[in-house]
Amino acid sequence: ARKRFMAESAFLDDRPAVPLRFLTEANLTQIIRRQENQIDPNEVRTQLNDRIRTIFGGGALNLVPFAGGPYDVDDNVGDGRPYLVLIGYDAETVKSDMVSIPPLVEKIFRTHGSQGAFRQLQNNLVFLLADEAMRGEMKARIRRRLALAAMRQPERLRDLAEHQQDKVNELHQRAEQELALAIQQCYRQMFYPSRGNRVSGATVDLGHTAFDVHSASEKPGAGQQQVLRALAENNKLLRDEDHPLAATYVRDQTPLKKGQITTADLRGEFRRDPRLPIMLGNGNLLKMIRNGVKDEVYVYRSGELLFGPGDPFAEIKIDEQSCVFTMAYATEKGIWPRPAARASSNPGRPGTWPRR
C-alpha cells in the first residue's frame, strides 16, 4: 500500500534523477497523467473521429470517413468531386516497411454496393490509411487533449496553484495543434489508382505513396492539402490551373481513338481509367479540347455549332449532346473542312452547323 501511494501520489516529486521526496504542492505531471487514465475510451474514440473528419473534410475531395465496405462508397459522379476514402485506424493500417494493399481497400476499389457489383469509376477514388507505427501516438494525443480540457473546468483549476493554472492553459492551447499534427502524421499512407505504378504483387491498379513527416506538419488541420500535393507529385492530378494533357495523348488513350466521343463520356474516362490523371473540375478538359482544335487534332460539334481550326472562340460544353471528333474521322465523314455550300448558306457565321 505504501509503494502504491508513493507511485500514485500527486505530491510525489517524479522528476528524473532527484531524491524521493514529497512536494508541498501537487505534481502537475502526475495530475495530468491521472486525468488521462480517467478519460472514457468511448469519448476518446468519438472525439478523435470527429477531429479526423474535420481535418480531412471540406475540400476539393469528397471525404468518405471510416468506410466499412463497398456499400459506403458510391460509384457515381455525385457533386463532381473525387472521393477520398478514409479507412478507420482500427480497421486497417499500413506498415511502412512492408506495404501491401489491405483487403478492405482492394474490395472497395473493385466493387460497390452490397451485392458486389463491379466498380466503374475506379479512377474516382483515393484511399487514406493510418500508419501502424503512428497510431498509438495519435490516440495518446487525443487522450491528453481531453484530459487538459477537463482540468480547465473552473472547479478543477481552483485546486491548482496560480502558476499551474497558467501551465494547464498553455498546455491545452498546444494540445490542439499537437493533436492535428499527430493525426496527419498518422494518416500518411495513401493508395491511388495507377496502372504504371501499381504496388508490387497487387492484383488491382493501385499505386502507393507515404507522406513524409514534414509534409504532414506544414499546415496542421488542412489534411487534404497533403493528399493533393502527393497526387500532384505522382503526376496523378489535373486541376483547372494545370497545363492540360496533349490532345494527341488523350485521343490515343481513350475511346476517342475510334473517331468520336461525347464530351460527357470523355470527362467520364478521367473517372474510369486508372491510366489517366484524376481531374478536379472541368476547366482542364475544356482547355485540352480547345488546344486540340487549335492544333488541328480535334473538331468539336454541339447542336448547330461546329468548331474547328481557325474558327473564332466558341463555348465548349460537357454534356451528352456535344461531341469531339478526331481530325481524321471528321475529314473522312465530311464534317471538316466545312463544306463550302453549307458555309455559304450561313454567311458571316463560320462557327455554325446548318440545320438539315
Side-chain angles (χ1 to χ4, degrees):
R2 182 177 64 85
K3 289 180 179 179
R4 181 174 179 183
F5 170 76
M6 293 174 64
E8 296 182 359
S9 174
F11 289 86
L12 180 67
D13 189 346
D14 63 351
R15 292 176 299 169
V18 300
L20 182 62
R21 61 177 181 170
F22 289 94
L23 307 173
T24 57
E25 65 182 29
N27 183 306
L28 190 57
T29 302
Q30 282 277 21
I31 295 174
I32 295 173
R33 186 180 304 143
R34 182 185 301 170
Q35 183 64 49
E36 289 176 359
N37 293 333
Q38 293 175 357
I39 300 298
D40 182 355
N42 291 328
E43 180 69 5
V44 170
R45 187 180 306 108
T46 298
Q47 292 294 329
L48 180 55
N49 290 354
D50 285 347
R51 195 71 187 94
I52 290 171
R53 288 188 185 93
T54 300
I55 287 176
F56 290 105
L61 304 174
N62 189 353
L63 177 65
V64 183
F66 312 112
Y71 44 81
D72 285 329
V73 187
D74 292 334
D75 189 33
N76 56 38
V77 175
D79 63 8
R81 295 180 296 164
Y83 291 106
L84 176 59
V85 183
L86 187 142
I87 304 299
Y89 45 86
D90 285 330
E92 298 274 15
T93 57
V94 177
K95 295 181 179 179
S96 295
D97 59 346
M98 193 171 59
V99 174
S100 62
I101 300 175
L104 178 58
V105 171
E106 180 172 340
K107 190 173 183 180
I108 293 174
F109 184 72
R110 285 183 182 276
T111 64
H112 73 96
S114 57
Q115 303 301 316
F118 177 75
R119 184 175 295 279
Q120 298 292 331
L121 307 185
Q122 291 187 334
N123 204 46
N124 204 39
L125 306 179
V126 178
F127 295 91
L128 197 59
L129 287 91
D131 189 295
E132 173 71 24
M134 304 284 190
R135 180 173 55 174
E137 175 67 12
M138 179 179 68
K139 291 183 176 181
R141 288 296 177 183
I142 182 63
R143 186 176 291 276
R144 181 173 178 81
R145 190 183 74 82
L146 292 173
L148 289 165
M151 291 178 60
R152 290 181 72 242
Q153 298 300 316
E155 63 275 13
R156 299 292 302 279
L157 280 179
R158 283 195 298 266
D159 294 336
L160 301 176
E162 186 173 344
H163 70 278
Q164 290 179 325
Q165 295 179 20
D166 294 339
K167 187 64 176 178
V168 167
N169 287 326
E170 176 193 339
L171 292 173
H172 182 264
Q173 288 180 340
R174 283 169 29 196
E176 179 59 31
Q177 184 178 46
E178 290 169 348
L179 172 60
L181 286 175
I183 289 172
Q184 287 176 228
Q185 290 173 355
C186 179
Y187 271 97
R188 59 187 296 266
Q189 303 286 349
M190 186 178 85
F191 293 93
Y192 60 94
S194 176
R195 189 161 298 171
N197 294 324
R198 180 191 278 195
V199 173
S200 177
T203 58
V204 291
D205 291 332
L206 283 172
H208 168 266
T209 190
F211 316 137
D212 58 60
V213 173
H214 175 71
S215 170
S217 305
E218 281 185 359
K219 291 189 176 181
Q224 284 202 19
Q225 290 195 19
Q226 69 195 51
V227 175
L228 297 176
R229 184 187 301 114
L231 287 172
E233 290 172 351
N234 285 276
N235 298 315
K236 190 60 190 179
L237 187 66
L238 276 180
R239 296 157 292 199
D240 287 352
E241 63 271 22
D242 291 333
H243 189 76
L245 296 174
T248 51
Y249 175 83
V250 175
R251 176 197 63 195
D252 297 341
Q253 297 297 320
T254 68
L256 179 55
K257 61 179 174 284
K258 297 178 181 179
Q260 63 177 329
I261 192 172
T262 69
T263 53
D265 285 344
L266 184 57
R267 178 64 181 91
E269 283 302 304
F270 284 87
R271 296 185 172 104
R272 281 190 285 268
D273 192 342
R275 295 175 302 172
L276 298 174
I278 292 174
M279 187 175 287
L280 300 182
N282 296 331
N284 196 283
L285 181 65
L286 298 177
K287 286 195 292 186
M288 189 279 299
I289 295 174
R290 200 175 303 282
N291 287 347
V293 172
K294 177 173 68 79
D295 296 339
E296 302 184 5
V297 179
Y298 299 155
V299 173
Y300 167 83
R301 185 170 71 188
S302 181
E304 295 184 352
L305 172 70
L306 184 65
F307 177 44
D311 281 350
F313 180 90
E315 179 187 4
I316 295 175
K317 299 177 180 178
I318 307 297
D319 58 31
E320 295 288 353
Q321 289 72 48
S322 303
C323 290
V324 176
F325 305 104
T326 64
M327 182 56 72
Y329 181 91
T331 302
E332 177 188 347
K333 299 299 182 180
I335 298 170
W336 192 267
R338 186 179 290 105
R342 293 176 179 173
S344 62
S345 68
N346 289 272
R349 299 181 63 197
T352 58
W353 182 260
R355 296 182 184 276
R356 295 184 180 276

